[in-house]
């Protein structure tokens, strides 16, 4: 079994591992997110994504991307710490940190069979849905209802 640190790979390494898995007849899922302050909603999302395929690759937004998407004071944890926490989740096979604001480049590089998004999306609102459909993949909405989020957790921690 790989350690969490060994699960963190470059995009090129992920491509090679995905290629090996495909040649062995395995299916691939991709989930992505900021994962700033890992919580139960994240774990359920990742478990749901893993149920969609044999191999789960997770894209973790780089720090600059998180700051742009989430605003001042974010991320709370740096990208390498966030990647390591995600990699420590048993359902996860590989983690790739990506710098872009969306996961299109990772999708095109890996061409996963399934692109998994959380329940705050619908199949029609997934930003990358057309990219996924264009190469023949599918979109799956996974995880539990979006009643866990980092913003609310941080507010509670800060006493607000």
């Amino acid at each position: 079994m790989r350690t969490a640190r060994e699960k963190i790979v470059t995009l090129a390494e992920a491509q090679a591992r995905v290629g090996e898995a495909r040649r062995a007849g395995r299916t691939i899922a991709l989930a992505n997110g900021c994962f700033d302050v890992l919580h139960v909603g994240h774990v359920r999302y990742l478990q749901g994504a893993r149920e969609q395929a044999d191999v789960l690759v997770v894209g973790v937004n780089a720090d600059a991307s998180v700051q742009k998407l989430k605003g001042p004071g974010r991320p709370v944890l740096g990208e390498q710490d966030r990647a390591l926490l995600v990699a420590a989740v048993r359902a996860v096979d590989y983690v790739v940190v990506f710098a872009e604001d969306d996961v299109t480049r990772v999708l095109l590089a890996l061409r996963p069979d399934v692109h998994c998004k959380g329940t705050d999306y619908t199949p029609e609102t997934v930003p990358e849905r057309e990219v996924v459909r264009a190469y023949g993949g599918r979109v799956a909405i996974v995880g539990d209802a979006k009643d866990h989020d980092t913003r609310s957790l941080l507010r509670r921690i800060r006493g607000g």
Side-chain angles (χ1 to χ4, degrees):
M1 180 184 278
R2 289 182 304 280
T3 66
R5 196 166 302 286
E6 292 169 334
K7 292 180 181 182
I8 302 169
V9 296
T10 65
L11 185 56
E13 290 169 329
Q15 280 181 295
R17 307 260 169 81
V18 163
E20 291 167 11
R22 277 214 174 87
R23 286 188 290 281
R26 301 176 81 201
T27 56
I28 312 300
L30 176 74
N32 70 285
C34 298
F35 301 100
D36 195 13
V37 185
L38 193 67
H39 56 71
V40 68
H42 291 135
V43 173
R44 290 176 181 154
Y45 166 55
L46 295 171
Q47 289 172 332
R50 179 52 184 266
E51 291 170 3
Q52 298 294 313
D54 301 314
V55 175
L56 175 59
V57 180
V58 180
V60 173
N61 290 74
D63 291 347
S65 170
V66 175
Q67 186 172 32
K68 207 181 302 180
L69 293 167
K70 302 294 184 177
R74 302 283 296 278
V76 173
L77 299 174
E79 60 196 46
Q80 289 305 309
D81 290 340
R82 291 183 288 112
L84 187 61
L85 287 168
V86 169
V89 175
R90 184 181 310 209
V92 175
D93 292 294
Y94 302 106
V95 175
V96 174
V97 176
F98 66 97
E100 298 78 16
D101 294 341
D102 72 44
V103 74
T104 298
R105 184 174 67 94
V106 178
L107 283 165
L108 291 173
L110 302 181
R111 300 171 66 90
D113 301 287
V114 188
H115 178 42
C116 300
K117 296 298 265 188
T119 57
D120 47 335
Y121 290 93
T122 68
E124 296 75 34
T125 63
V126 171
E128 307 87 4
R129 70 189 174 282
E130 294 306 323
V131 171
V132 175
R133 289 179 185 145
Y135 70 72
R138 69 179 174 88
V139 169
I141 305 302
V142 300
D144 61 357
K146 183 77 175 188
D147 55 3
H148 312 282
D149 66 89
T150 302
R151 189 170 283 118
S152 297
L153 180 60
L154 289 173
R155 209 172 13 256
R156 284 187 24 224
I157 291 169
R158 293 175 178 146

